[in-house]
Amino acid sequence: MRGEYCVGGASFLSFVALLLLIFVHVGQINTSVVPHGIAMAKVNTSGFGQALNASFGDPIQGLYTDNYTSPLGERNGLRQLYEFGLYSYCAFVNSSAGTCTNHTIADSFEPYIAMTSDMFQNYTQYSDAMFVNTTLMNSSYLGYNARVAYYFILLGTIFATIALFTGVARRALLFFISTASSITAALFILIGAAIWTSIVKKCEAVNTLQLHVSNGTVLSGIVVSYGNGIYLAWAAFACLAASTVPYMVSCCTFRG
Ligand SMILES: *[C@@H]1O[C@H](CO)[C@@H](O)[C@H](O)[C@H]1NC(C)=O
Ligand SMILES: *[C@@H]1O[C@H](CO)[C@@H](O)[C@H](O)[C@H]1NC(C)=O
Ligand SMILES: *[C@@H]1O[C@H](CO)[C@@H](O)[C@H](O)[C@H]1NC(C)=O
Ligand SMILES: *[C@@H]1O[C@H](CO)[C@@H](O)[C@H](O)[C@H]1NC(C)=O
Ligand SMILES: *[C@@H]1O[C@H](CO)[C@@H](O)[C@H](O)[C@H]1NC(C)=O
């Protein structure tokens, strides 16, 4: 294979990987269409009112809010859908209207805190009893792993950028750098994507959690699912892993 084609292929794959990673980073930074469409994890709470109702005995008043602009985390009412990104999370009262938290570097993934900090205090106490010993409620575990995963994804993005820019120059040393960078980037994105996949998978246990109520059992009414940000990260990993081959070939054979 000619060196030029190799470099072209490797650069193209690095470029696609970087683009995918940029999409991963913008997920949930605000509620406009593209960021709204990209999340690492989603939590649908729409069935929770009924579950709480069944375990509480009395009808639940004022659990949810319809006011999509009211700030999050201030007990203003639960939203139907929570979507988590790398820098913030957004909560929506329907499929489109919602609000987001402030941006934080290495934002923690703490879905249980996000939900309960929007409820009245006494409902929070009830849910603490309902979700005791679930991974969803283990906010320190989830938060820590998400922060670690964030740094792997951030470093992976930086190495993918280095691979892209050093790969276009016609110098043997730079080919060596781009090969090394694309291998490092692939490895870091793999770790970041695997951590996210694992923590969301563990949270999904609440989807089938049966709560004991006076006359039987009900589902928790909370549905956790993977966001497409996780799939984008896996796709970026695949592109970076594929790009290492042509980079390596160019590195060893290119005589430009
Ligand atoms: C919604 O919440 C915002 C912010 O707290 C508040 O300014 C506004 O008045 C609320 N709207 C309604 C209809 O309650
Ligand atoms: C949440 O789940 C309910 C019931 O499964 C579904 O009807 C609703 O559309 C979901 N909400 C969103 C915003 O996806
Ligand atoms: C969502 O809620 C907002 C504000 O209440 C409303 O303007 C909008 O039409 C709703 N969208 C859908 C799809 O129901
Ligand atoms: C979010 O940012 C705004 C504006 O910078 C600030 O007023 C507010 O206190 C912040 N909220 C939190 C929860 O940090
Ligand atoms: C339990 O009681 C509630 C409220 O009375 C009722 O809606 C529900 O269907 C009952 N569940 C079972 C399994 O009987």
Side-chain angles (χ1 to χ4, degrees), residues 5-51:
Y5 295 133
C6 257
V7 178
S11 298
F12 176 72
L13 287 168
S14 300
F15 175 73
V16 172
L18 189 57
L19 211 58
L20 291 169
L21 289 170
I22 289 169
F23 279 115
V24 173
H25 282 277
V26 301
Q28 305 306 319
I29 58 173
N30 60 43
T31 57
S32 54
V33 176
V34 172
H36 174 27
I38 300 167
M40 303 307 278
K42 297 183 181 188
V43 180
N44 182 335
T45 67
S46 61
F48 179 64
Q50 269 182 311

Side-chain angles (χ1 to χ4, degrees), residues 42-47 80-81 83 92-96 221 223:
K42 297 183 181 188
V43 180
N44 182 335
T45 67
S46 61
Q80 306 281 331
L81 185 66
E83 299 193 335
F92 298 85
V93 297
N94 62 27
S95 56
S96 56
V223 177

Side-chain angles (χ1 to χ4, degrees), residues 29-249:
I29 58 173
N30 60 43
T31 57
S32 54
V33 176
V34 172
H36 174 27
I38 300 167
M40 303 307 278
K42 297 183 181 188
V43 180
N44 182 335
T45 67
S46 61
F48 179 64
Q50 269 182 311
L52 195 57
N53 210 351
S55 63
F56 200 65
D58 289 324
I60 297 297
Q61 304 290 326
L63 177 64
Y64 294 96
T65 181
D66 289 333
N67 186 348
Y68 70 96
T69 56
S70 64
L72 296 169
E74 296 179 8
R75 304 202 182 282
N76 290 326
L78 192 64
R79 323 295 152 114
Q80 306 281 331
L81 185 66
Y82 289 78
E83 299 193 335
F84 295 83
L86 294 180
Y87 299 93
S88 46
Y89 69 89
C90 303
F92 298 85
V93 297
N94 62 27
S95 56
S96 56
T99 189
C100 300
T101 58
N102 288 348
H103 300 164
T104 312
I105 299 294
D107 197 26
S108 294
F109 174 54
E110 292 171 340
Y112 187 75
I113 290 178
M115 281 171 44
T116 50
S117 65
D118 280 342
M119 300 175 193
F120 293 138
Q121 187 70 52
N122 53 344
Y123 295 155
T124 303
Q125 285 161 4
Y126 267 88
S127 11
D128 286 351
M130 291 161 76
F131 293 102
V132 67
N133 292 335
T134 59
T135 308
L136 180 74
M137 202 175 156
N138 194 347
S139 298
S140 57
Y141 166 81
L142 295 173
Y144 173 77
N145 279 281
R147 285 195 301 277
V148 170
Y150 168 77
Y151 285 112
F152 275 108
I153 292 173
L154 180 68
L155 288 173
T157 307
I158 292 168
F159 279 108
T161 313
I162 295 172
L164 178 62
F165 287 106
T166 54
V168 294
R170 290 167 149 254
R171 295 262 169 72
L173 174 65
L174 292 183
F175 279 137
F176 174 73
I177 293 174
S178 55
T179 308
S181 302
S182 67
I183 292 172
T184 312
L187 188 66
F188 283 7
I189 298 298
L190 170 70
I191 296 171
I195 293 175
W196 263 107
T197 306
S198 137
I199 58 179
V200 176
K201 176 86 195 146
K202 287 183 180 167
C203 288
E204 279 184 335
V206 302
N207 299 1
T208 53
L209 178 70
Q210 298 277 348
L211 305 169
H212 294 278
V213 296
S214 55
N215 61 354
T217 57
V218 289
L219 284 172
S220 69
I222 290 188
V223 177
V224 179
S225 55
Y226 295 112
N228 48 12
I230 291 184
Y231 301 123
L232 293 178
W234 280 111
F237 159 71
C239 289
L240 289 166
S243 78
T244 59
V245 176
Y247 272 134
M248 241 182 259
V249 172

